Amino acid sequence: MSLLDDLEPLKQAALAEMKAAGDTAALEQAKGAWLGPHGKFTALMKQLGALPREERPAAGKLINQAKSELEAAMTARRRELEIKAAQPAEPADFTLPGRRRPLGKLHPLTQVTEDIVRSFRKIGFAVADGPEVETEYYCFDALNTPEDHPARDVQDTFYLEDTNDLLLRTHTSSVQIRVMKKQAPPVRIIVPGRVYRRDTPDATHNPTFHQIEGLYVDRLVTVGDLKGTVEYVFRQLLGEETQIRFRPHYFSYTEPSFEIDFSNALTKKMGKEWLEIAGCGMVHPQVFENVGYDPEIWTGWAFGFGIERIAMIRYGINDIRLFYENDLRFLRQF
Ligand code: DAH
């Protein structure tokens, strides 16, 4: 049997093996076995030398042809296998609805804060902020709060150990002072922020909670301006039919001072005609003195209220602690 008689069966065997290769690794192995340095086809080329001289060119040509055929078959099979590998193992149904990623939501307190801020922005107020770790000066002294005021008691305020006068601010009113010390009047700011008090947590108290402070300073500002602004904002927040009333009160940084009550369908549902919601008043002349504003020229009002309280009333939440527990069953409802 001559070398050339072997050629065709060898080629057919090689082609069959390549076709049978189930993945590219098997194909590479077949390639080595046939076309590699020690492969069966390579061995055939080496036998060329044994042929009579005049037969060698034609035989060489045939072997080379067969070899190129094998190489082309290899490449085609490799492409087939690569495409197969890239396809999903199971058939895909492209008509199925996609899987949506669940979208996160803002915390209800953040939502209420943003609503309040939006209402005030519409009437020209800017957002200001200040540190939660405060000094006694900004939290109390500059706000005209006397040394013996109960709010300054260690029973009520978290003081930082080993510091002279650092504390966690008990209200956002401290930012009034920080802003007025930095800028000349007029002032029109609101201050949303976290505050701290030594309270035992229960359904209506938590040692940290959030407030919004407002401060308006200009010439000839009156209680009428205060009342009109507060009424506008609470109607935006709690519904157009909301009524408010002012009750005389005492705060050291305002004179006169008031507590604000509101009344609407929500308060009636809670079995109450009026519900207390905020403190406010006309900025005390001493506070203006303390920040370097001339109280003969400048007048203003300020208010402060709790954000949790607004959110609780608005959504009918009966326990303040729910806001801080991060229970998704609660949070998903807003
Ligand atoms: N700081 C007061 C509080 O924590 C709230 C408050 C009352 C703020 C009257 C004011 C104000 O600006 O004028 O309860």
Side-chain angles (χ1 to χ4, degrees), residues 143 170-174 176 195 197 209 211-215 249-251 253-254 256-259 278-283 301-305:
L143 287 163
T170 54
H171 53 185
T172 44
S173 306
S174 53
Q176 289 187 26
V195 300
R197 288 182 196 176
F209 60 102
Q211 285 189 329
I212 291 238
E213 191 81 13
L215 174 68
H249 198 74
Y250 171 81
F251 296 104
Y253 29 96
T254 43
S257 302
F258 311 95
E259 275 193 328
C280 67
M282 302 306 287
V283 179
W301 53 247
F303 71 82
F305 58 82

PDB file of all heavy atoms in Angstrom, residues 143 170-174 176 195 197 209 211-215 249-251 253-254 256-259 278-283 301-305, ligand 1:
ATOM      1  N   LEU A 143     -28.731  82.614  73.047  1.00  0.00           N
ATOM      2  CA  LEU A 143     -30.188  82.597  72.899  1.00  0.00           C
ATOM      3  C   LEU A 143     -30.861  83.103  74.174  1.00  0.00           C
ATOM      4  O   LEU A 143     -32.053  82.860  74.391  1.00  0.00           O
ATOM      5  CB  LEU A 143     -30.678  81.184  72.561  1.00  0.00           C
ATOM      6  CG  LEU A 143     -30.379  80.722  71.124  1.00  0.00           C
ATOM      7  CD1 LEU A 143     -30.522  79.213  71.002  1.00  0.00           C
ATOM      8  CD2 LEU A 143     -31.294  81.424  70.120  1.00  0.00           C
ATOM      9  N   THR A 170     -29.678  70.707  71.748  1.00  0.00           N
ATOM     10  CA  THR A 170     -31.000  70.278  72.202  1.00  0.00           C
ATOM     11  C   THR A 170     -32.093  70.815  71.288  1.00  0.00           C
ATOM     12  O   THR A 170     -33.243  70.416  71.372  1.00  0.00           O
ATOM     13  CB  THR A 170     -31.274  70.811  73.617  1.00  0.00           C
ATOM     14  OG1 THR A 170     -31.083  72.232  73.602  1.00  0.00           O
ATOM     15  CG2 THR A 170     -30.333  70.185  74.614  1.00  0.00           C
ATOM     16  N   HIS A 171     -31.712  71.756  70.422  1.00  0.00           N
ATOM     17  CA  HIS A 171     -32.653  72.304  69.437  1.00  0.00           C
ATOM     18  C   HIS A 171     -31.865  72.913  68.280  1.00  0.00           C
ATOM     19  O   HIS A 171     -30.658  73.140  68.384  1.00  0.00           O
ATOM     20  CB  HIS A 171     -33.595  73.333  70.073  1.00  0.00           C
ATOM     21  CG  HIS A 171     -32.913  74.447  70.826  1.00  0.00           C
ATOM     22  ND1 HIS A 171     -33.595  75.396  71.530  1.00  0.00           N
ATOM     23  CD2 HIS A 171     -31.595  74.764  70.990  1.00  0.00           C
ATOM     24  CE1 HIS A 171     -32.747  76.244  72.097  1.00  0.00           C
ATOM     25  NE2 HIS A 171     -31.526  75.883  71.775  1.00  0.00           N
ATOM     26  N   THR A 172     -32.555  73.143  67.179  1.00  0.00           N
ATOM     27  CA  THR A 172     -31.885  73.737  66.018  1.00  0.00           C
ATOM     28  C   THR A 172     -31.772  75.255  66.151  1.00  0.00           C
ATOM     29  O   THR A 172     -31.207  75.912  65.283  1.00  0.00           O
ATOM     30  CB  THR A 172     -32.661  73.396  64.726  1.00  0.00           C
ATOM     31  OG1 THR A 172     -34.058  73.568  64.963  1.00  0.00           O
ATOM     32  CG2 THR A 172     -32.405  71.955  64.290  1.00  0.00           C
ATOM     33  N   SER A 173     -32.287  75.815  67.262  1.00  0.00           N
ATOM     34  CA  SER A 173     -32.231  77.276  67.442  1.00  0.00           C
ATOM     35  C   SER A 173     -30.791  77.797  67.460  1.00  0.00           C
ATOM     36  O   SER A 173     -30.543  78.964  67.127  1.00  0.00           O
ATOM     37  CB  SER A 173     -32.940  77.672  68.737  1.00  0.00           C
ATOM     38  OG  SER A 173     -34.254  77.158  68.752  1.00  0.00           O
ATOM     39  N   SER A 174     -29.828  76.924  67.828  1.00  0.00           N
ATOM     40  CA  SER A 174     -28.423  77.334  67.837  1.00  0.00           C
ATOM     41  C   SER A 174     -27.979  77.867  66.472  1.00  0.00           C
ATOM     42  O   SER A 174     -27.108  78.741  66.393  1.00  0.00           O
ATOM     43  CB  SER A 174     -27.544  76.148  68.246  1.00  0.00           C
ATOM     44  OG  SER A 174     -27.841  75.036  67.418  1.00  0.00           O
ATOM     45  N   GLN A 176     -29.680  79.669  64.449  1.00  0.00           N
ATOM     46  CA  GLN A 176     -30.050  81.090  64.317  1.00  0.00           C
ATOM     47  C   GLN A 176     -28.836  81.964  64.600  1.00  0.00           C
ATOM     48  O   GLN A 176     -28.525  82.891  63.847  1.00  0.00           O
ATOM     49  CB  GLN A 176     -31.114  81.473  65.361  1.00  0.00           C
ATOM     50  CG  GLN A 176     -32.493  80.913  65.151  1.00  0.00           C
ATOM     51  CD  GLN A 176     -33.482  81.538  66.170  1.00  0.00           C
ATOM     52  OE1 GLN A 176     -33.279  82.649  66.663  1.00  0.00           O
ATOM     53  NE2 GLN A 176     -34.552  80.817  66.459  1.00  0.00           N
ATOM     54  N   VAL A 195     -31.564  66.731  66.582  1.00  0.00           N
ATOM     55  CA  VAL A 195     -31.323  67.285  67.918  1.00  0.00           C
ATOM     56  C   VAL A 195     -31.373  66.149  68.947  1.00  0.00           C
ATOM     57  O   VAL A 195     -31.818  65.042  68.634  1.00  0.00           O
ATOM     58  CB  VAL A 195     -32.366  68.377  68.269  1.00  0.00           C
ATOM     59  CG1 VAL A 195     -32.305  69.521  67.267  1.00  0.00           C
ATOM     60  CG2 VAL A 195     -33.767  67.797  68.317  1.00  0.00           C
ATOM     61  N   ARG A 197     -31.915  64.984  73.198  1.00  0.00           N
ATOM     62  CA  ARG A 197     -32.320  65.280  74.576  1.00  0.00           C
ATOM     63  C   ARG A 197     -32.300  64.015  75.407  1.00  0.00           C
ATOM     64  O   ARG A 197     -32.572  62.936  74.885  1.00  0.00           O
ATOM     65  CB  ARG A 197     -33.744  65.863  74.605  1.00  0.00           C
ATOM     66  CG  ARG A 197     -33.764  67.266  74.070  1.00  0.00           C
ATOM     67  CD  ARG A 197     -35.116  67.886  74.127  1.00  0.00           C
ATOM     68  NE  ARG A 197     -35.114  69.052  73.253  1.00  0.00           N
ATOM     69  CZ  ARG A 197     -36.169  69.801  72.993  1.00  0.00           C
ATOM     70  NH1 ARG A 197     -37.326  69.521  73.549  1.00  0.00           N
ATOM     71  NH2 ARG A 197     -36.074  70.844  72.196  1.00  0.00           N
ATOM     72  N   PHE A 209     -34.118  63.267  67.788  1.00  0.00           N
ATOM     73  CA  PHE A 209     -35.234  63.486  66.867  1.00  0.00           C
ATOM     74  C   PHE A 209     -34.877  64.652  65.958  1.00  0.00           C
ATOM     75  O   PHE A 209     -33.722  65.095  65.939  1.00  0.00           O
ATOM     76  CB  PHE A 209     -36.552  63.697  67.634  1.00  0.00           C
ATOM     77  CG  PHE A 209     -36.573  64.872  68.564  1.00  0.00           C
ATOM     78  CD1 PHE A 209     -37.208  66.059  68.203  1.00  0.00           C
ATOM     79  CD2 PHE A 209     -35.964  64.813  69.809  1.00  0.00           C
ATOM     80  CE1 PHE A 209     -37.246  67.151  69.061  1.00  0.00           C
ATOM     81  CE2 PHE A 209     -35.991  65.906  70.676  1.00  0.00           C
ATOM     82  CZ  PHE A 209     -36.640  67.064  70.291  1.00  0.00           C
ATOM     83  N   GLN A 211     -35.802  68.513  64.026  1.00  0.00           N
ATOM     84  CA  GLN A 211     -36.576  69.753  64.095  1.00  0.00           C
ATOM     85  C   GLN A 211     -36.365  70.574  62.835  1.00  0.00           C
ATOM     86  O   GLN A 211     -35.414  70.364  62.090  1.00  0.00           O
ATOM     87  CB  GLN A 211     -36.084  70.613  65.268  1.00  0.00           C
ATOM     88  CG  GLN A 211     -36.513  70.131  66.630  1.00  0.00           C
ATOM     89  CD  GLN A 211     -36.170  71.152  67.711  1.00  0.00           C
ATOM     90  OE1 GLN A 211     -35.186  71.884  67.587  1.00  0.00           O
ATOM     91  NE2 GLN A 211     -36.979  71.200  68.755  1.00  0.00           N
ATOM     92  N   ILE A 212     -37.271  71.509  62.660  1.00  0.00           N
ATOM     93  CA  ILE A 212     -37.053  72.551  61.649  1.00  0.00           C
ATOM     94  C   ILE A 212     -37.149  73.882  62.353  1.00  0.00           C
ATOM     95  O   ILE A 212     -38.109  74.143  63.099  1.00  0.00           O
ATOM     96  CB  ILE A 212     -38.114  72.513  60.522  1.00  0.00           C
ATOM     97  CG1 ILE A 212     -37.941  71.266  59.679  1.00  0.00           C
ATOM     98  CG2 ILE A 212     -38.051  73.790  59.700  1.00  0.00           C
ATOM     99  CD1 ILE A 212     -37.709  71.514  58.212  1.00  0.00           C
ATOM    100  N   GLU A 213     -36.136  74.675  62.158  1.00  0.00           N
ATOM    101  CA  GLU A 213     -36.103  76.011  62.721  1.00  0.00           C
ATOM    102  C   GLU A 213     -36.352  76.994  61.595  1.00  0.00           C
ATOM    103  O   GLU A 213     -35.937  76.737  60.458  1.00  0.00           O
ATOM    104  CB  GLU A 213     -34.686  76.236  63.287  1.00  0.00           C
ATOM    105  CG  GLU A 213     -34.540  77.462  64.123  1.00  0.00           C
ATOM    106  CD  GLU A 213     -35.047  77.214  65.538  1.00  0.00           C
ATOM    107  OE1 GLU A 213     -35.278  76.048  65.902  1.00  0.00           O
ATOM    108  OE2 GLU A 213     -35.216  78.198  66.278  1.00  0.00           O
ATOM    109  N   GLY A 214     -37.030  78.087  61.879  1.00  0.00           N
ATOM    110  CA  GLY A 214     -37.180  79.140  60.874  1.00  0.00           C
ATOM    111  C   GLY A 214     -36.771  80.464  61.484  1.00  0.00           C
ATOM    112  O   GLY A 214     -36.970  80.689  62.680  1.00  0.00           O
ATOM    113  N   LEU A 215     -36.174  81.330  60.677  1.00  0.00           N
ATOM    114  CA  LEU A 215     -35.787  82.649  61.177  1.00  0.00           C
ATOM    115  C   LEU A 215     -35.960  83.671  60.058  1.00  0.00           C
ATOM    116  O   LEU A 215     -35.503  83.452  58.936  1.00  0.00           O
ATOM    117  CB  LEU A 215     -34.325  82.630  61.630  1.00  0.00           C
ATOM    118  CG  LEU A 215     -33.740  84.000  62.047  1.00  0.00           C
ATOM    119  CD1 LEU A 215     -34.386  84.513  63.326  1.00  0.00           C
ATOM    120  CD2 LEU A 215     -32.222  83.904  62.217  1.00  0.00           C
ATOM    121  N   HIS A 249     -46.841  81.935  75.373  1.00  0.00           N
ATOM    122  CA  HIS A 249     -45.941  80.976  75.995  1.00  0.00           C
ATOM    123  C   HIS A 249     -44.670  81.710  76.391  1.00  0.00           C
ATOM    124  O   HIS A 249     -44.593  82.933  76.260  1.00  0.00           O
ATOM    125  CB  HIS A 249     -45.637  79.853  74.986  1.00  0.00           C
ATOM    126  CG  HIS A 249     -45.096  78.612  75.623  1.00  0.00           C
ATOM    127  ND1 HIS A 249     -45.882  77.759  76.346  1.00  0.00           N
ATOM    128  CD2 HIS A 249     -43.850  78.084  75.638  1.00  0.00           C
ATOM    129  CE1 HIS A 249     -45.140  76.747  76.787  1.00  0.00           C
ATOM    130  NE2 HIS A 249     -43.899  76.931  76.362  1.00  0.00           N
ATOM    131  N   TYR A 250     -43.669  80.974  76.871  1.00  0.00           N
ATOM    132  CA  TYR A 250     -42.390  81.618  77.168  1.00  0.00           C
ATOM    133  C   TYR A 250     -41.242  80.895  76.499  1.00  0.00           C
ATOM    134  O   TYR A 250     -41.102  79.662  76.627  1.00  0.00           O
ATOM    135  CB  TYR A 250     -42.135  81.663  78.687  1.00  0.00           C
ATOM    136  CG  TYR A 250     -40.731  82.118  78.992  1.00  0.00           C
ATOM    137  CD1 TYR A 250     -40.411  83.481  78.982  1.00  0.00           C
ATOM    138  CD2 TYR A 250     -39.706  81.202  79.234  1.00  0.00           C
ATOM    139  CE1 TYR A 250     -39.111  83.915  79.208  1.00  0.00           C
ATOM    140  CE2 TYR A 250     -38.404  81.630  79.469  1.00  0.00           C
ATOM    141  CZ  TYR A 250     -38.114  82.993  79.445  1.00  0.00           C
ATOM    142  OH  TYR A 250     -36.845  83.410  79.658  1.00  0.00           O
ATOM    143  N   PHE A 251     -40.452  81.595  75.722  1.00  0.00           N
ATOM    144  CA  PHE A 251     -39.134  81.128  75.279  1.00  0.00           C
ATOM    145  C   PHE A 251     -38.181  82.281  75.532  1.00  0.00           C
ATOM    146  O   PHE A 251     -38.567  83.451  75.352  1.00  0.00           O
ATOM    147  CB  PHE A 251     -39.130  80.761  73.781  1.00  0.00           C
ATOM    148  CG  PHE A 251     -40.034  79.608  73.438  1.00  0.00           C
ATOM    149  CD1 PHE A 251     -41.259  79.826  72.804  1.00  0.00           C
ATOM    150  CD2 PHE A 251     -39.666  78.300  73.749  1.00  0.00           C
ATOM    151  CE1 PHE A 251     -42.098  78.772  72.488  1.00  0.00           C
ATOM    152  CE2 PHE A 251     -40.512  77.241  73.436  1.00  0.00           C
ATOM    153  CZ  PHE A 251     -41.720  77.470  72.808  1.00  0.00           C
ATOM    154  N   TYR A 253     -35.655  83.288  73.942  1.00  0.00           N
ATOM    155  CA  TYR A 253     -35.088  83.977  72.766  1.00  0.00           C
ATOM    156  C   TYR A 253     -36.131  84.703  71.940  1.00  0.00           C
ATOM    157  O   TYR A 253     -35.816  85.250  70.885  1.00  0.00           O
ATOM    158  CB  TYR A 253     -34.293  82.996  71.892  1.00  0.00           C
ATOM    159  CG  TYR A 253     -34.791  81.558  71.956  1.00  0.00           C
ATOM    160  CD1 TYR A 253     -35.673  81.063  71.002  1.00  0.00           C
ATOM    161  CD2 TYR A 253     -34.378  80.722  72.985  1.00  0.00           C
ATOM    162  CE1 TYR A 253     -36.128  79.760  71.075  1.00  0.00           C
ATOM    163  CE2 TYR A 253     -34.840  79.417  73.074  1.00  0.00           C
ATOM    164  CZ  TYR A 253     -35.710  78.943  72.121  1.00  0.00           C
ATOM    165  OH  TYR A 253     -36.171  77.666  72.214  1.00  0.00           O
ATOM    166  N   THR A 254     -37.385  84.655  72.373  1.00  0.00           N
ATOM    167  CA  THR A 254     -38.419  85.413  71.667  1.00  0.00           C
ATOM    168  C   THR A 254     -39.277  86.171  72.675  1.00  0.00           C
ATOM    169  O   THR A 254     -39.455  85.738  73.807  1.00  0.00           O
ATOM    170  CB  THR A 254     -39.338  84.477  70.837  1.00  0.00           C
ATOM    171  OG1 THR A 254     -39.651  83.329  71.621  1.00  0.00           O
ATOM    172  CG2 THR A 254     -38.671  84.036  69.545  1.00  0.00           C
ATOM    173  N   PRO A 256     -42.854  88.840  72.144  1.00  0.00           N
ATOM    174  CA  PRO A 256     -43.601  87.783  72.828  1.00  0.00           C
ATOM    175  C   PRO A 256     -43.358  86.411  72.194  1.00  0.00           C
ATOM    176  O   PRO A 256     -42.890  86.318  71.085  1.00  0.00           O
ATOM    177  CB  PRO A 256     -45.065  88.214  72.612  1.00  0.00           C
ATOM    178  CG  PRO A 256     -45.037  88.997  71.338  1.00  0.00           C
ATOM    179  CD  PRO A 256     -43.717  89.695  71.312  1.00  0.00           C
ATOM    180  N   SER A 257     -43.719  85.357  72.967  1.00  0.00           N
ATOM    181  CA  SER A 257     -43.572  83.988  72.489  1.00  0.00           C
ATOM    182  C   SER A 257     -44.934  83.308  72.452  1.00  0.00           C
ATOM    183  O   SER A 257     -45.828  83.672  73.223  1.00  0.00           O
ATOM    184  CB  SER A 257     -42.658  83.184  73.429  1.00  0.00           C
ATOM    185  OG  SER A 257     -41.388  83.774  73.550  1.00  0.00           O
ATOM    186  N   PHE A 258     -45.038  82.327  71.577  1.00  0.00           N
ATOM    187  CA  PHE A 258     -46.320  81.610  71.449  1.00  0.00           C
ATOM    188  C   PHE A 258     -46.087  80.130  71.226  1.00  0.00           C
ATOM    189  O   PHE A 258     -45.041  79.732  70.709  1.00  0.00           O
ATOM    190  CB  PHE A 258     -47.114  82.127  70.233  1.00  0.00           C
ATOM    191  CG  PHE A 258     -47.237  83.605  70.164  1.00  0.00           C
ATOM    192  CD1 PHE A 258     -46.337  84.348  69.407  1.00  0.00           C
ATOM    193  CD2 PHE A 258     -48.243  84.269  70.858  1.00  0.00           C
ATOM    194  CE1 PHE A 258     -46.445  85.723  69.333  1.00  0.00           C
ATOM    195  CE2 PHE A 258     -48.353  85.644  70.782  1.00  0.00           C
ATOM    196  CZ  PHE A 258     -47.454  86.385  70.022  1.00  0.00           C
ATOM    197  N   GLU A 259     -47.101  79.365  71.600  1.00  0.00           N
ATOM    198  CA  GLU A 259     -47.163  78.003  71.095  1.00  0.00           C
ATOM    199  C   GLU A 259     -48.214  77.990  70.012  1.00  0.00           C
ATOM    200  O   GLU A 259     -49.219  78.704  70.101  1.00  0.00           O
ATOM    201  CB  GLU A 259     -47.484  77.004  72.203  1.00  0.00           C
ATOM    202  CG  GLU A 259     -46.204  76.593  72.916  1.00  0.00           C
ATOM    203  CD  GLU A 259     -46.368  75.388  73.815  1.00  0.00           C
ATOM    204  OE1 GLU A 259     -47.450  75.185  74.395  1.00  0.00           O
ATOM    205  OE2 GLU A 259     -45.380  74.646  73.950  1.00  0.00           O
ATOM    206  N   ALA A 278     -45.956  73.609  67.466  1.00  0.00           N
ATOM    207  CA  ALA A 278     -44.697  74.349  67.311  1.00  0.00           C
ATOM    208  C   ALA A 278     -44.585  75.461  68.334  1.00  0.00           C
ATOM    209  O   ALA A 278     -45.567  75.850  68.971  1.00  0.00           O
ATOM    210  CB  ALA A 278     -44.619  74.950  65.906  1.00  0.00           C
ATOM    211  N   GLY A 279     -43.357  75.976  68.485  1.00  0.00           N
ATOM    212  CA  GLY A 279     -43.116  77.165  69.303  1.00  0.00           C
ATOM    213  C   GLY A 279     -42.616  78.275  68.402  1.00  0.00           C
ATOM    214  O   GLY A 279     -41.998  78.020  67.372  1.00  0.00           O
ATOM    215  N   CYS A 280     -42.907  79.527  68.795  1.00  0.00           N
ATOM    216  CA  CYS A 280     -42.464  80.630  67.933  1.00  0.00           C
ATOM    217  C   CYS A 280     -42.523  81.944  68.699  1.00  0.00           C
ATOM    218  O   CYS A 280     -42.934  81.984  69.859  1.00  0.00           O
ATOM    219  CB  CYS A 280     -43.355  80.727  66.701  1.00  0.00           C
ATOM    220  SG  CYS A 280     -45.053  81.231  67.070  1.00  0.00           S
ATOM    221  N   GLY A 281     -42.113  82.989  68.043  1.00  0.00           N
ATOM    222  CA  GLY A 281     -42.204  84.307  68.667  1.00  0.00           C
ATOM    223  C   GLY A 281     -41.398  85.332  67.903  1.00  0.00           C
ATOM    224  O   GLY A 281     -40.803  85.032  66.866  1.00  0.00           O
ATOM    225  N   MET A 282     -41.424  86.571  68.432  1.00  0.00           N
ATOM    226  CA  MET A 282     -40.645  87.650  67.826  1.00  0.00           C
ATOM    227  C   MET A 282     -39.252  87.645  68.453  1.00  0.00           C
ATOM    228  O   MET A 282     -39.117  87.606  69.690  1.00  0.00           O
ATOM    229  CB  MET A 282     -41.331  89.000  68.082  1.00  0.00           C
ATOM    230  CG  MET A 282     -42.769  89.069  67.550  1.00  0.00           C
ATOM    231  SD  MET A 282     -42.908  88.655  65.797  1.00  0.00           S
ATOM    232  CE  MET A 282     -42.190  90.119  65.033  1.00  0.00           C
ATOM    233  N   VAL A 283     -38.223  87.676  67.627  1.00  0.00           N
ATOM    234  CA  VAL A 283     -36.842  87.553  68.124  1.00  0.00           C
ATOM    235  C   VAL A 283     -36.578  88.584  69.230  1.00  0.00           C
ATOM    236  O   VAL A 283     -36.853  89.782  69.072  1.00  0.00           O
ATOM    237  CB  VAL A 283     -35.826  87.746  66.975  1.00  0.00           C
ATOM    238  CG1 VAL A 283     -34.394  87.629  67.516  1.00  0.00           C
ATOM    239  CG2 VAL A 283     -36.069  86.708  65.876  1.00  0.00           C
ATOM    240  N   TRP A 301     -38.945  87.247  63.347  1.00  0.00           N
ATOM    241  CA  TRP A 301     -39.611  86.166  64.068  1.00  0.00           C
ATOM    242  C   TRP A 301     -38.840  84.869  63.886  1.00  0.00           C
ATOM    243  O   TRP A 301     -38.020  84.731  62.966  1.00  0.00           O
ATOM    244  CB  TRP A 301     -41.072  86.004  63.666  1.00  0.00           C
ATOM    245  CG  TRP A 301     -41.420  85.843  62.196  1.00  0.00           C
ATOM    246  CD1 TRP A 301     -42.098  86.727  61.426  1.00  0.00           C
ATOM    247  CD2 TRP A 301     -41.161  84.709  61.354  1.00  0.00           C
ATOM    248  NE1 TRP A 301     -42.266  86.227  60.163  1.00  0.00           N
ATOM    249  CE2 TRP A 301     -41.707  84.999  60.095  1.00  0.00           C
ATOM    250  CE3 TRP A 301     -40.526  83.486  61.547  1.00  0.00           C
ATOM    251  CZ2 TRP A 301     -41.629  84.110  59.012  1.00  0.00           C
ATOM    252  CZ3 TRP A 301     -40.444  82.601  60.474  1.00  0.00           C
ATOM    253  CH2 TRP A 301     -40.994  82.914  59.227  1.00  0.00           C
ATOM    254  N   ALA A 302     -39.136  83.912  64.783  1.00  0.00           N
ATOM    255  CA  ALA A 302     -38.494  82.601  64.700  1.00  0.00           C
ATOM    256  C   ALA A 302     -39.523  81.562  65.121  1.00  0.00           C
ATOM    257  O   ALA A 302     -40.498  81.881  65.803  1.00  0.00           O
ATOM    258  CB  ALA A 302     -37.287  82.535  65.632  1.00  0.00           C
ATOM    259  N   PHE A 303     -39.313  80.359  64.651  1.00  0.00           N
ATOM    260  CA  PHE A 303     -40.184  79.264  65.107  1.00  0.00           C
ATOM    261  C   PHE A 303     -39.361  77.988  65.099  1.00  0.00           C
ATOM    262  O   PHE A 303     -38.270  77.916  64.525  1.00  0.00           O
ATOM    263  CB  PHE A 303     -41.409  79.096  64.190  1.00  0.00           C
ATOM    264  CG  PHE A 303     -41.048  78.531  62.846  1.00  0.00           C
ATOM    265  CD1 PHE A 303     -40.881  77.158  62.679  1.00  0.00           C
ATOM    266  CD2 PHE A 303     -40.829  79.373  61.776  1.00  0.00           C
ATOM    267  CE1 PHE A 303     -40.514  76.652  61.451  1.00  0.00           C
ATOM    268  CE2 PHE A 303     -40.459  78.865  60.544  1.00  0.00           C
ATOM    269  CZ  PHE A 303     -40.292  77.498  60.375  1.00  0.00           C
ATOM    270  N   GLY A 304     -39.886  76.952  65.756  1.00  0.00           N
ATOM    271  CA  GLY A 304     -39.246  75.640  65.717  1.00  0.00           C
ATOM    272  C   GLY A 304     -40.298  74.581  65.922  1.00  0.00           C
ATOM    273  O   GLY A 304     -41.212  74.758  66.725  1.00  0.00           O
ATOM    274  N   PHE A 305     -40.194  73.511  65.155  1.00  0.00           N
ATOM    275  CA  PHE A 305     -41.109  72.390  65.442  1.00  0.00           C
ATOM    276  C   PHE A 305     -40.472  71.063  65.103  1.00  0.00           C
ATOM    277  O   PHE A 305     -39.444  70.994  64.418  1.00  0.00           O
ATOM    278  CB  PHE A 305     -42.476  72.572  64.773  1.00  0.00           C
ATOM    279  CG  PHE A 305     -42.465  72.722  63.275  1.00  0.00           C
ATOM    280  CD1 PHE A 305     -42.393  71.606  62.463  1.00  0.00           C
ATOM    281  CD2 PHE A 305     -42.578  73.984  62.698  1.00  0.00           C
ATOM    282  CE1 PHE A 305     -42.433  71.748  61.083  1.00  0.00           C
ATOM    283  CE2 PHE A 305     -42.606  74.130  61.312  1.00  0.00           C
ATOM    284  CZ  PHE A 305     -42.532  73.006  60.510  1.00  0.00           C
TER     285      PHE A 305
HETATM  286  N1  DAH B   1     -36.314  75.628  70.354  1.00  0.00           N
HETATM  287  C1  DAH B   1     -37.664  75.335  70.756  1.00  0.00           C
HETATM  288  C2  DAH B   1     -37.757  73.869  71.165  1.00  0.00           C
HETATM  289  O1  DAH B   1     -36.812  73.180  71.042  1.00  0.00           O
HETATM  290  C3  DAH B   1     -38.636  75.593  69.630  1.00  0.00           C
HETATM  291  C4  DAH B   1     -38.713  77.037  69.327  1.00  0.00           C
HETATM  292  C5  DAH B   1     -39.579  77.874  70.025  1.00  0.00           C
HETATM  293  C6  DAH B   1     -37.901  77.605  68.361  1.00  0.00           C
HETATM  294  C7  DAH B   1     -39.662  79.210  69.758  1.00  0.00           C
HETATM  295  C8  DAH B   1     -37.979  78.953  68.083  1.00  0.00           C
HETATM  296  C9  DAH B   1     -38.855  79.741  68.795  1.00  0.00           C
HETATM  297  O2  DAH B   1     -37.230  79.516  67.136  1.00  0.00           O
HETATM  298  O3  DAH B   1     -38.923  81.092  68.508  1.00  0.00           O
HETATM  299  O4  DAH B   1     -38.775  73.433  71.590  1.00  0.00           O
END
